[in-house]
Amino acid sequence: MSEEVKIIERQKIPSGATMLFGFPDVGLVGVIAASHIISELNLKEVAYLDSKLLPPLIVLHEGLPHSPIRIFGNHDVLLAVSETAVPADAIQPIMRTLVDWGRNKDAKVMISMSGIPVQNRQDIDKLKIFGAASNPSVLKMIQDKDVEVLKEGYMVGPQAIIMHYCARIGVPAITLLAQCFYNYPDPEASAATLKELAKITDIKVDVSALLEKGEEIRLRARDVMRRTQKEMAKMKKTQEYDIPLYVS
Amino acid sequence: MSTRKKRSIFDIIDEYFERLDEWAERFGEVMIERPSWNQRASTIEPLRDILITPNEVIVTADLPYAEESKVQVKPLDEDSLEIIAKMRRKVRFADFGITHHAGEFQTFRCQTRIPVPVDMRKMEVHIKKGILEIHLPRKGRYRIPIE
């Protein structure tokens, strides 16, 4: 574990779980999806992250302090989620520490949930979900389950670090990216991501409540989105729109 | 006698741009470091975005709960406009579990400056899925002949 980032466990952590990640990024797709999973599966906080790299803040729930980055779980699922925009400079060490921690718990696969921004988002009714994987056998598995592969392009943000680090240390990892708004919270994209997640894992949640509460979520998520925009600018997130230079 | 090193014009230009970057970053911080709501006016500031294309400027704003028929877009002058949108329901701090502030909001309101010259008279406004889209044709476009 990194000296700068520590994970403090509140209870015994199950081994062999699927580890999910929902971090603030375009459309807050991952965070909204993660919040919905926590609520639907009634996941409990099992660990939290402590780091001097984070801003000096805590989140208060029912009058009690919590770390803004926590891990929720049950016997089958571990889910790392952040309630605040993660500073661009802190993303690398935080993601690596979370992956190392999940690997120590024998997590069978790491799955990041996020978005891929499209300019004509409000004209799209059926959102596409794209997937990427850390090795050829995981890539084949998601293709066999009809996940459309993101074949060429740049990935920027927490999911990029998770994917690259997992590939390097030999941990199976998948990223699911839903078409979404760049700057606006997108609960529909989160719901589409969760439907895709159900295709490749045993994690199946009803998304009807998420879609019904869409406007409320968009209103609630404004401030986190605003601060996330600032961090996305620092990490040059718009590079995801770029056409890559092919180097074989 | 001054020992100050003579600087090239390139050093001066570099320094100018560095200062400009610093200023822009500081200005951005100031802009963001304030609440997104105004308790006295009972208004919430919507998330918004500006896209500049070769022919037009597109301003969008996320307006959840907005009554689409009551959204107003008013040009304030040649390069700024105001968006006002009444919501279908009142939103209270208590709805979000917040008990240390009191107040309720039923209106989105913001002012946006357009960074390039546009023709406000030809403004077109659409709203779809709660996203307001304002199209403003750019003006002052001229072609430089290539000899």
Side-chain angles (χ1 to χ4, degrees):
Chain A
M1 199 179 289
S2 147
E3 281 300 302
E4 297 172 306
V5 185
K6 292 190 185 337
I7 294 176
I8 292 100
E9 296 172 10
R10 286 191 182 273
Q11 63 179 68
K12 192 173 183 308
I13 308 296
S15 66
T18 296
M19 187 159 175
L20 304 174
F21 295 82
F23 279 78
D25 193 31
V26 285
L28 298 179
V29 175
V31 178
I32 297 169
S35 299
H36 190 65
I37 293 174
I38 292 167
S39 150
E40 287 289 307
L41 300 182
N42 197 21
L43 300 183
K44 303 291 176 215
E45 183 184 327
V46 296
Y48 63 90
L49 190 136
D50 186 24
S51 174
K52 287 177 186 167
L53 303 175
L54 289 173
L57 75 88
I58 55 160
V59 188
L60 290 160
H61 291 301
E62 302 292 332
L64 294 171
H66 296 273
S67 164
I69 301 180
R70 294 188 279 167
I71 301 167
F72 291 79
N74 61 18
H75 284 293
D76 308 311
V77 182
L78 292 168
L79 190 163
V81 62
S82 176
E83 291 186 71
T84 186
V86 181
D89 298 342
I91 287 176
Q92 288 253 12
I94 287 175
M95 294 307 138
R96 283 166 188 253
T97 303
L98 284 166
V99 168
D100 283 337
W101 181 83
R103 189 192 194 195
N104 286 335
K105 305 300 171 194
D106 294 322
K108 59 184 174 192
V109 62
M110 312 255 173
I111 303 177
S112 314
M113 301 175 290
S114 189
I116 189 155
V118 281
Q119 282 187 354
N120 61 335
R121 165 66 186 91
Q122 60 263 51
D123 299 324
I124 303 175
D125 289 324
K126 187 166 168 38
L127 299 171
K128 280 188 178 179
I129 314 293
F130 295 91
S134 62
N135 68 49
S137 67
V138 182
L139 190 67
K140 184 174 181 311
M141 185 276 281
I142 64 168
Q143 279 178 305
D144 289 346
K145 296 195 173 174
D146 291 329
V147 175
E148 189 166 343
V149 171
L150 184 74
K151 287 184 182 165
E152 301 284 334
Y154 295 105
M155 198 188 282
V156 179
Q159 62 275 16
I161 305 303
I162 294 166
M163 181 62 73
H164 185 244
Y165 189 49
C166 284
R168 207 189 87 194
I169 63 174
V171 171
I174 298 165
T175 298
L176 293 176
L177 302 164
Q179 288 182 318
C180 67
F181 289 113
Y182 186 96
N183 274 330
Y184 303 143
D186 199 334
E188 281 183 23
S190 305
T193 306
L194 291 175
K195 285 183 189 167
E196 207 74 354
L197 182 70
K199 275 165 59 176
I200 58 169
T201 66
D202 294 329
I203 303 164
K204 300 183 195 309
V205 292
D206 182 3
V207 297
S208 51
L210 175 57
L211 292 169
E212 279 164 25
K213 288 195 295 181
E215 285 186 297
E216 182 190 328
I217 293 167
R218 278 162 56 197
L219 196 64
R220 260 178 182 265
R222 271 174 333 115
D223 287 334
V224 175
M225 186 78 252
R226 221 160 48 106
R227 295 193 183 274
T228 302
Q229 287 169 3
K230 201 176 153 202
E231 298 306 327
M232 290 195 301
K234 280 187 196 161
M235 67 177 92
K236 307 214 183 309
K237 182 75 186 172
T238 51
Q239 198 169 344
E240 286 188 351
Y241 287 123
D242 292 1
I243 296 164
L245 170 68
Y246 184 72
V247 180
S248 62
Chain B
M1 196 173 123
S2 169
T3 55
R4 199 171 159 190
K5 194 182 162 190
K6 199 175 174 187
R7 295 184 307 160
S8 78
I9 183 72
F10 299 108
D11 291 336
I12 294 166
I13 292 170
D14 282 348
E15 191 181 300
Y16 171 76
F17 279 108
E18 272 170 30
R19 280 193 191 162
L20 199 65
D21 280 348
E22 277 171 29
W23 178 84
E25 196 164 317
R26 242 180 288 154
F27 183 70
E29 302 262 341
V30 170
M31 289 300 283
I32 204 164
E33 294 305 330
R34 58 186 164 83
S36 63
W37 37 266
N38 184 328
Q39 210 165 347
R40 283 187 184 175
S42 298
T43 58
I44 303 182
E45 205 172 297
L47 288 171
R48 58 193 186 275
D49 199 9
I50 297 182
L51 176 70
I52 302 168
T53 75
N55 299 317
E56 62 175 353
V57 173
I58 306 168
V59 179
T60 62
D62 187 21
L63 303 173
Y65 290 125
E67 276 189 62
E68 297 195 357
S69 59
K70 292 192 177 166
V71 174
Q72 298 172 56
V73 182
K74 295 182 195 167
L76 297 174
D77 51 40
E78 283 192 336
D79 63 359
S80 61
L81 50 81
E82 184 175 49
I83 298 168
I84 302 171
K86 195 160 187 294
M87 295 156 80
R88 296 194 305 277
R89 51 162 284 197
K90 280 183 184 166
V91 178
R92 297 174 182 84
F93 281 115
D95 297 337
F96 303 127
I98 294 169
T99 51
H100 57 286
H101 293 297
E104 58 183 30
F105 309 94
Q106 202 170 3
T107 308
F108 283 110
R109 186 183 201 128
C110 68
Q111 294 183 356
T112 294
R113 190 163 290 278
I114 312 298
V116 294
V118 291
D119 190 341
M120 287 286 184
R121 291 166 307 168
K122 292 183 181 166
M123 175 170 76
E124 281 184 25
V125 180
H126 313 280
I127 187 160
K128 191 173 181 185
K129 293 181 186 170
I131 306 288
L132 177 72
E133 201 170 289
I134 306 161
H135 292 256
L136 298 154
R138 291 179 68 175
K139 68 178 183 185
R141 311 285 292 158
Y142 56 88
R143 192 183 290 265
I144 298 170
I146 299 169
E147 292 174 11

PDB file of all heavy atoms in Angstrom, chain B residues 38-63:
ATOM      1  N   ASN B  38     -28.668  30.988  -4.752  1.00  0.00           N
ATOM      2  CA  ASN B  38     -28.767  32.308  -4.126  1.00  0.00           C
ATOM      3  C   ASN B  38     -29.992  32.303  -3.225  1.00  0.00           C
ATOM      4  O   ASN B  38     -31.130  32.289  -3.691  1.00  0.00           O
ATOM      5  CB  ASN B  38     -28.895  33.378  -5.224  1.00  0.00           C
ATOM      6  CG  ASN B  38     -28.895  34.781  -4.668  1.00  0.00           C
ATOM      7  OD1 ASN B  38     -29.379  35.035  -3.557  1.00  0.00           O
ATOM      8  ND2 ASN B  38     -28.350  35.711  -5.429  1.00  0.00           N
ATOM      9  N   GLN B  39     -29.693  32.258  -1.923  1.00  0.00           N
ATOM     10  CA  GLN B  39     -30.778  32.115  -0.939  1.00  0.00           C
ATOM     11  C   GLN B  39     -31.725  33.315  -0.948  1.00  0.00           C
ATOM     12  O   GLN B  39     -32.934  33.158  -0.861  1.00  0.00           O
ATOM     13  CB  GLN B  39     -30.159  31.951   0.444  1.00  0.00           C
ATOM     14  CG  GLN B  39     -30.979  31.122   1.389  1.00  0.00           C
ATOM     15  CD  GLN B  39     -30.163  30.698   2.594  1.00  0.00           C
ATOM     16  OE1 GLN B  39     -28.939  30.811   2.607  1.00  0.00           O
ATOM     17  NE2 GLN B  39     -30.833  30.204   3.611  1.00  0.00           N
ATOM     18  N   ARG B  40     -31.149  34.526  -1.093  1.00  0.00           N
ATOM     19  CA  ARG B  40     -31.981  35.749  -1.058  1.00  0.00           C
ATOM     20  C   ARG B  40     -32.920  35.805  -2.253  1.00  0.00           C
ATOM     21  O   ARG B  40     -34.083  36.148  -2.129  1.00  0.00           O
ATOM     22  CB  ARG B  40     -31.105  36.993  -1.071  1.00  0.00           C
ATOM     23  CG  ARG B  40     -30.497  37.257   0.260  1.00  0.00           C
ATOM     24  CD  ARG B  40     -29.788  38.577   0.245  1.00  0.00           C
ATOM     25  NE  ARG B  40     -29.118  38.800   1.507  1.00  0.00           N
ATOM     26  CZ  ARG B  40     -28.348  39.823   1.751  1.00  0.00           C
ATOM     27  NH1 ARG B  40     -28.131  40.718   0.818  1.00  0.00           N
ATOM     28  NH2 ARG B  40     -27.785  39.960   2.915  1.00  0.00           N
ATOM     29  N   ALA B  41     -32.371  35.451  -3.417  1.00  0.00           N
ATOM     30  CA  ALA B  41     -33.196  35.523  -4.633  1.00  0.00           C
ATOM     31  C   ALA B  41     -33.995  34.241  -4.862  1.00  0.00           C
ATOM     32  O   ALA B  41     -34.790  34.171  -5.786  1.00  0.00           O
ATOM     33  CB  ALA B  41     -32.301  35.794  -5.831  1.00  0.00           C
ATOM     34  N   SER B  42     -33.741  33.240  -4.032  1.00  0.00           N
ATOM     35  CA  SER B  42     -34.391  31.915  -4.172  1.00  0.00           C
ATOM     36  C   SER B  42     -34.154  31.318  -5.557  1.00  0.00           C
ATOM     37  O   SER B  42     -35.069  30.763  -6.172  1.00  0.00           O
ATOM     38  CB  SER B  42     -35.897  32.001  -3.907  1.00  0.00           C
ATOM     39  OG  SER B  42     -36.129  32.416  -2.598  1.00  0.00           O
ATOM     40  N   THR B  43     -32.931  31.459  -6.044  1.00  0.00           N
ATOM     41  CA  THR B  43     -32.626  30.901  -7.362  1.00  0.00           C
ATOM     42  C   THR B  43     -31.443  29.926  -7.288  1.00  0.00           C
ATOM     43  O   THR B  43     -30.601  30.014  -6.387  1.00  0.00           O
ATOM     44  CB  THR B  43     -32.262  32.007  -8.380  1.00  0.00           C
ATOM     45  OG1 THR B  43     -31.151  32.740  -7.876  1.00  0.00           O
ATOM     46  CG2 THR B  43     -33.426  32.937  -8.638  1.00  0.00           C
ATOM     47  N   ILE B  44     -31.429  29.016  -8.240  1.00  0.00           N
ATOM     48  CA  ILE B  44     -30.325  28.063  -8.382  1.00  0.00           C
ATOM     49  C   ILE B  44     -29.667  28.348  -9.717  1.00  0.00           C
ATOM     50  O   ILE B  44     -30.348  28.647 -10.699  1.00  0.00           O
ATOM     51  CB  ILE B  44     -30.827  26.610  -8.393  1.00  0.00           C
ATOM     52  CG1 ILE B  44     -31.624  26.287  -7.139  1.00  0.00           C
ATOM     53  CG2 ILE B  44     -29.669  25.626  -8.516  1.00  0.00           C
ATOM     54  CD1 ILE B  44     -32.097  24.858  -7.072  1.00  0.00           C
ATOM     55  N   GLU B  45     -28.344  28.237  -9.724  1.00  0.00           N
ATOM     56  CA  GLU B  45     -27.624  28.437 -10.981  1.00  0.00           C
ATOM     57  C   GLU B  45     -27.520  27.096 -11.704  1.00  0.00           C
ATOM     58  O   GLU B  45     -27.051  26.123 -11.119  1.00  0.00           O
ATOM     59  CB  GLU B  45     -26.223  28.953 -10.642  1.00  0.00           C
ATOM     60  CG  GLU B  45     -25.604  29.741 -11.744  1.00  0.00           C
ATOM     61  CD  GLU B  45     -24.325  30.384 -11.266  1.00  0.00           C
ATOM     62  OE1 GLU B  45     -24.373  31.224 -10.341  1.00  0.00           O
ATOM     63  OE2 GLU B  45     -23.286  30.024 -11.814  1.00  0.00           O
ATOM     64  N   PRO B  46     -27.956  27.037 -12.954  1.00  0.00           N
ATOM     65  CA  PRO B  46     -27.863  25.743 -13.653  1.00  0.00           C
ATOM     66  C   PRO B  46     -26.452  25.454 -14.146  1.00  0.00           C
ATOM     67  O   PRO B  46     -25.661  26.379 -14.334  1.00  0.00           O
ATOM     68  CB  PRO B  46     -28.812  25.934 -14.848  1.00  0.00           C
ATOM     69  CG  PRO B  46     -28.767  27.386 -15.132  1.00  0.00           C
ATOM     70  CD  PRO B  46     -28.554  28.084 -13.813  1.00  0.00           C
ATOM     71  N   LEU B  47     -26.152  24.189 -14.361  1.00  0.00           N
ATOM     72  CA  LEU B  47     -24.910  23.838 -15.049  1.00  0.00           C
ATOM     73  C   LEU B  47     -25.065  24.287 -16.491  1.00  0.00           C
ATOM     74  O   LEU B  47     -26.143  24.133 -17.071  1.00  0.00           O
ATOM     75  CB  LEU B  47     -24.706  22.323 -15.023  1.00  0.00           C
ATOM     76  CG  LEU B  47     -24.332  21.690 -13.691  1.00  0.00           C
ATOM     77  CD1 LEU B  47     -24.401  20.170 -13.805  1.00  0.00           C
ATOM     78  CD2 LEU B  47     -22.941  22.112 -13.228  1.00  0.00           C
ATOM     79  N   ARG B  48     -24.019  24.846 -17.071  1.00  0.00           N
ATOM     80  CA  ARG B  48     -24.139  25.276 -18.455  1.00  0.00           C
ATOM     81  C   ARG B  48     -22.810  25.112 -19.189  1.00  0.00           C
ATOM     82  O   ARG B  48     -21.770  24.914 -18.572  1.00  0.00           O
ATOM     83  CB  ARG B  48     -24.626  26.721 -18.532  1.00  0.00           C
ATOM     84  CG  ARG B  48     -23.758  27.713 -17.810  1.00  0.00           C
ATOM     85  CD  ARG B  48     -24.507  29.022 -17.690  1.00  0.00           C
ATOM     86  NE  ARG B  48     -23.687  30.050 -17.125  1.00  0.00           N
ATOM     87  CZ  ARG B  48     -23.505  30.252 -15.828  1.00  0.00           C
ATOM     88  NH1 ARG B  48     -24.073  29.446 -14.951  1.00  0.00           N
ATOM     89  NH2 ARG B  48     -22.740  31.233 -15.388  1.00  0.00           N
ATOM     90  N   ASP B  49     -22.901  25.207 -20.496  1.00  0.00           N
ATOM     91  CA  ASP B  49     -21.734  24.936 -21.321  1.00  0.00           C
ATOM     92  C   ASP B  49     -21.821  25.791 -22.588  1.00  0.00           C
ATOM     93  O   ASP B  49     -22.924  26.142 -23.018  1.00  0.00           O
ATOM     94  CB  ASP B  49     -21.744  23.443 -21.696  1.00  0.00           C
ATOM     95  CG  ASP B  49     -20.380  22.961 -22.144  1.00  0.00           C
ATOM     96  OD1 ASP B  49     -19.404  23.705 -22.013  1.00  0.00           O
ATOM     97  OD2 ASP B  49     -20.300  21.820 -22.635  1.00  0.00           O
ATOM     98  N   ILE B  50     -20.691  26.111 -23.163  1.00  0.00           N
ATOM     99  CA  ILE B  50     -20.678  26.891 -24.415  1.00  0.00           C
ATOM    100  C   ILE B  50     -19.812  26.161 -25.430  1.00  0.00           C
ATOM    101  O   ILE B  50     -18.681  25.769 -25.130  1.00  0.00           O
ATOM    102  CB  ILE B  50     -20.107  28.316 -24.191  1.00  0.00           C
ATOM    103  CG1 ILE B  50     -20.996  29.089 -23.221  1.00  0.00           C
ATOM    104  CG2 ILE B  50     -19.992  29.063 -25.512  1.00  0.00           C
ATOM    105  CD1 ILE B  50     -20.543  30.510 -22.977  1.00  0.00           C
ATOM    106  N   LEU B  51     -20.373  25.962 -26.616  1.00  0.00           N
ATOM    107  CA  LEU B  51     -19.623  25.333 -27.700  1.00  0.00           C
ATOM    108  C   LEU B  51     -19.524  26.351 -28.840  1.00  0.00           C
ATOM    109  O   LEU B  51     -20.546  26.888 -29.288  1.00  0.00           O
ATOM    110  CB  LEU B  51     -20.356  24.065 -28.164  1.00  0.00           C
ATOM    111  CG  LEU B  51     -19.757  23.328 -29.354  1.00  0.00           C
ATOM    112  CD1 LEU B  51     -18.435  22.659 -28.970  1.00  0.00           C
ATOM    113  CD2 LEU B  51     -20.729  22.239 -29.845  1.00  0.00           C
ATOM    114  N   ILE B  52     -18.302  26.619 -29.277  1.00  0.00           N
ATOM    115  CA  ILE B  52     -18.108  27.578 -30.384  1.00  0.00           C
ATOM    116  C   ILE B  52     -17.782  26.790 -31.641  1.00  0.00           C
ATOM    117  O   ILE B  52     -16.788  26.060 -31.681  1.00  0.00           O
ATOM    118  CB  ILE B  52     -16.978  28.579 -30.061  1.00  0.00           C
ATOM    119  CG1 ILE B  52     -17.320  29.328 -28.771  1.00  0.00           C
ATOM    120  CG2 ILE B  52     -16.771  29.562 -31.204  1.00  0.00           C
ATOM    121  CD1 ILE B  52     -16.172  30.112 -28.196  1.00  0.00           C
ATOM    122  N   THR B  53     -18.633  26.896 -32.633  1.00  0.00           N
ATOM    123  CA  THR B  53     -18.381  26.219 -33.906  1.00  0.00           C
ATOM    124  C   THR B  53     -18.025  27.303 -34.935  1.00  0.00           C
ATOM    125  O   THR B  53     -18.173  28.498 -34.645  1.00  0.00           O
ATOM    126  CB  THR B  53     -19.621  25.427 -34.379  1.00  0.00           C
ATOM    127  OG1 THR B  53     -20.590  26.341 -34.888  1.00  0.00           O
ATOM    128  CG2 THR B  53     -20.236  24.598 -33.250  1.00  0.00           C
ATOM    129  N   PRO B  54     -17.608  26.913 -36.139  1.00  0.00           N
ATOM    130  CA  PRO B  54     -17.235  27.950 -37.122  1.00  0.00           C
ATOM    131  C   PRO B  54     -18.388  28.893 -37.449  1.00  0.00           C
ATOM    132  O   PRO B  54     -18.168  30.063 -37.751  1.00  0.00           O
ATOM    133  CB  PRO B  54     -16.833  27.130 -38.348  1.00  0.00           C
ATOM    134  CG  PRO B  54     -16.402  25.812 -37.812  1.00  0.00           C
ATOM    135  CD  PRO B  54     -17.264  25.559 -36.619  1.00  0.00           C
ATOM    136  N   ASN B  55     -19.641  28.412 -37.397  1.00  0.00           N
ATOM    137  CA  ASN B  55     -20.768  29.241 -37.814  1.00  0.00           C
ATOM    138  C   ASN B  55     -21.642  29.762 -36.684  1.00  0.00           C
ATOM    139  O   ASN B  55     -22.401  30.705 -36.874  1.00  0.00           O
ATOM    140  CB  ASN B  55     -21.660  28.459 -38.780  1.00  0.00           C
ATOM    141  CG  ASN B  55     -20.903  28.062 -40.016  1.00  0.00           C
ATOM    142  OD1 ASN B  55     -20.145  28.869 -40.558  1.00  0.00           O
ATOM    143  ND2 ASN B  55     -21.051  26.823 -40.431  1.00  0.00           N
ATOM    144  N   GLU B  56     -21.593  29.102 -35.545  1.00  0.00           N
ATOM    145  CA  GLU B  56     -22.502  29.511 -34.472  1.00  0.00           C
ATOM    146  C   GLU B  56     -21.913  29.212 -33.095  1.00  0.00           C
ATOM    147  O   GLU B  56     -20.956  28.450 -32.966  1.00  0.00           O
ATOM    148  CB  GLU B  56     -23.863  28.818 -34.625  1.00  0.00           C
ATOM    149  CG  GLU B  56     -23.797  27.311 -34.528  1.00  0.00           C
ATOM    150  CD  GLU B  56     -25.166  26.646 -34.567  1.00  0.00           C
ATOM    151  OE1 GLU B  56     -26.199  27.327 -34.543  1.00  0.00           O
ATOM    152  OE2 GLU B  56     -25.196  25.400 -34.599  1.00  0.00           O
ATOM    153  N   VAL B  57     -22.529  29.816 -32.101  1.00  0.00           N
ATOM    154  CA  VAL B  57     -22.201  29.505 -30.704  1.00  0.00           C
ATOM    155  C   VAL B  57     -23.418  28.785 -30.136  1.00  0.00           C
ATOM    156  O   VAL B  57     -24.554  29.234 -30.327  1.00  0.00           O
ATOM    157  CB  VAL B  57     -21.910  30.790 -29.901  1.00  0.00           C
ATOM    158  CG1 VAL B  57     -21.745  30.477 -28.420  1.00  0.00           C
ATOM    159  CG2 VAL B  57     -20.666  31.476 -30.439  1.00  0.00           C
ATOM    160  N   ILE B  58     -23.170  27.642 -29.488  1.00  0.00           N
ATOM    161  CA  ILE B  58     -24.277  26.893 -28.891  1.00  0.00           C
ATOM    162  C   ILE B  58     -24.106  26.928 -27.378  1.00  0.00           C
ATOM    163  O   ILE B  58     -23.102  26.451 -26.850  1.00  0.00           O
ATOM    164  CB  ILE B  58     -24.317  25.434 -29.393  1.00  0.00           C
ATOM    165  CG1 ILE B  58     -24.348  25.403 -30.937  1.00  0.00           C
ATOM    166  CG2 ILE B  58     -25.527  24.694 -28.822  1.00  0.00           C
ATOM    167  CD1 ILE B  58     -24.101  24.016 -31.520  1.00  0.00           C
ATOM    168  N   VAL B  59     -25.081  27.531 -26.707  1.00  0.00           N
ATOM    169  CA  VAL B  59     -25.070  27.560 -25.238  1.00  0.00           C
ATOM    170  C   VAL B  59     -26.080  26.516 -24.785  1.00  0.00           C
ATOM    171  O   VAL B  59     -27.206  26.486 -25.285  1.00  0.00           O
ATOM    172  CB  VAL B  59     -25.510  28.938 -24.699  1.00  0.00           C
ATOM    173  CG1 VAL B  59     -25.511  28.952 -23.177  1.00  0.00           C
ATOM    174  CG2 VAL B  59     -24.612  30.035 -25.243  1.00  0.00           C
ATOM    175  N   THR B  60     -25.668  25.635 -23.870  1.00  0.00           N
ATOM    176  CA  THR B  60     -26.629  24.675 -23.323  1.00  0.00           C
ATOM    177  C   THR B  60     -26.695  24.857 -21.808  1.00  0.00           C
ATOM    178  O   THR B  60     -25.760  25.371 -21.192  1.00  0.00           O
ATOM    179  CB  THR B  60     -26.250  23.212 -23.641  1.00  0.00           C
ATOM    180  OG1 THR B  60     -24.989  22.918 -23.048  1.00  0.00           O
ATOM    181  CG2 THR B  60     -26.185  22.950 -25.136  1.00  0.00           C
ATOM    182  N   ALA B  61     -27.818  24.440 -21.230  1.00  0.00           N
ATOM    183  CA  ALA B  61     -27.966  24.495 -19.771  1.00  0.00           C
ATOM    184  C   ALA B  61     -28.820  23.309 -19.339  1.00  0.00           C
ATOM    185  O   ALA B  61     -29.783  22.949 -20.025  1.00  0.00           O
ATOM    186  CB  ALA B  61     -28.623  25.802 -19.347  1.00  0.00           C
ATOM    187  N   ASP B  62     -28.425  22.702 -18.230  1.00  0.00           N
ATOM    188  CA  ASP B  62     -29.176  21.555 -17.709  1.00  0.00           C
ATOM    189  C   ASP B  62     -30.254  22.087 -16.765  1.00  0.00           C
ATOM    190  O   ASP B  62     -29.931  22.693 -15.738  1.00  0.00           O
ATOM    191  CB  ASP B  62     -28.200  20.621 -16.960  1.00  0.00           C
ATOM    192  CG  ASP B  62     -28.870  19.315 -16.544  1.00  0.00           C
ATOM    193  OD1 ASP B  62     -29.904  18.945 -17.135  1.00  0.00           O
ATOM    194  OD2 ASP B  62     -28.343  18.650 -15.622  1.00  0.00           O
ATOM    195  N   LEU B  63     -31.523  21.860 -17.104  1.00  0.00           N
ATOM    196  CA  LEU B  63     -32.624  22.433 -16.326  1.00  0.00           C
ATOM    197  C   LEU B  63     -33.597  21.349 -15.850  1.00  0.00           C
ATOM    198  O   LEU B  63     -34.743  21.276 -16.325  1.00  0.00           O
ATOM    199  CB  LEU B  63     -33.377  23.456 -17.189  1.00  0.00           C
ATOM    200  CG  LEU B  63     -32.558  24.611 -17.780  1.00  0.00           C
ATOM    201  CD1 LEU B  63     -33.416  25.436 -18.732  1.00  0.00           C
ATOM    202  CD2 LEU B  63     -31.999  25.501 -16.678  1.00  0.00           C
TER     203      LEU B  63
END
